[in-house]
Amino acid sequence: QVQLVESGGGLVQPGGSLRLSCAASGRILQIDDMQWYRQGPGNQRELVAGITTGGTTNYADSVKGRFTISRDNAKNTVYLQMNSLKAEDTAVYYCSGRVNFATYWGQGTQVTVSS
């Protein structure tokens, strides 16, 4: 059974940084494109960033220049480095991706940006 497990969320002051991790576990044959999504209070889930197997990245306009997605294929892990955090970045962050040709979601990790 494949699982995606996020970690690294927490409470941070505006302007601060956090790094989220998403580790895939189980019997993994292949990991394809991976994404980070978020869902803030009263909002729909939105795509934050994505990364292909080749390392090509894309970002939501709201996070460009502040967030960086990366992956370590040897560790089956995807990261989201978040800098210059703002109150509006407060949300539950989810990773998602195709593992063994099926789509999986993590359980989410809370990020709260507040002074």
Side-chain angles (χ1 to χ4, degrees):
Q1 178 74 9
V2 172
Q3 286 187 314
L4 299 180
V5 179
E6 301 100 335
S7 61
L11 173 64
V12 63
Q13 292 186 342
S17 299
L18 283 175
R19 189 176 83 153
L20 305 183
S21 300
C22 172
S25 63
R27 187 170 181 266
I28 297 170
L29 302 176
Q30 181 170 325
I31 300 178
D32 295 316
D33 298 355
M34 298 292 293
Q35 301 86 31
W36 284 97
Y37 289 79
R38 68 185 181 186
Q39 187 166 15
N43 296 332
Q44 291 186 334
R45 192 171 297 189
E46 62 174 350
L47 177 66
V48 176
I51 186 167
T52 68
T53 52
T56 301
T57 58
N58 63 282
Y59 298 93
D61 287 343
S62 59
V63 306
K64 281 182 181 176
R66 300 188 298 122
F67 290 11
T68 303
I69 188 171
S70 61
R71 63 193 294 164
D72 185 334
N73 294 327
K75 295 182 179 180
N76 294 330
T77 301
V78 177
Y79 304 97
L80 186 68
Q81 177 67 43
M82 305 185 294
N83 299 328
S84 302
L85 283 161
K86 306 174 182 180
E88 50 263 44
D89 295 318
T90 295
V92 178
Y93 284 72
Y94 301 88
C95 72
S96 176
R98 288 189 63 78
V99 181
N100 300 347
F101 308 107
T103 299
Y104 291 89
W105 289 84
Q107 82 288 350
T109 185
Q110 177 70 46
V111 171
T112 302
V113 184
S114 176
S115 55

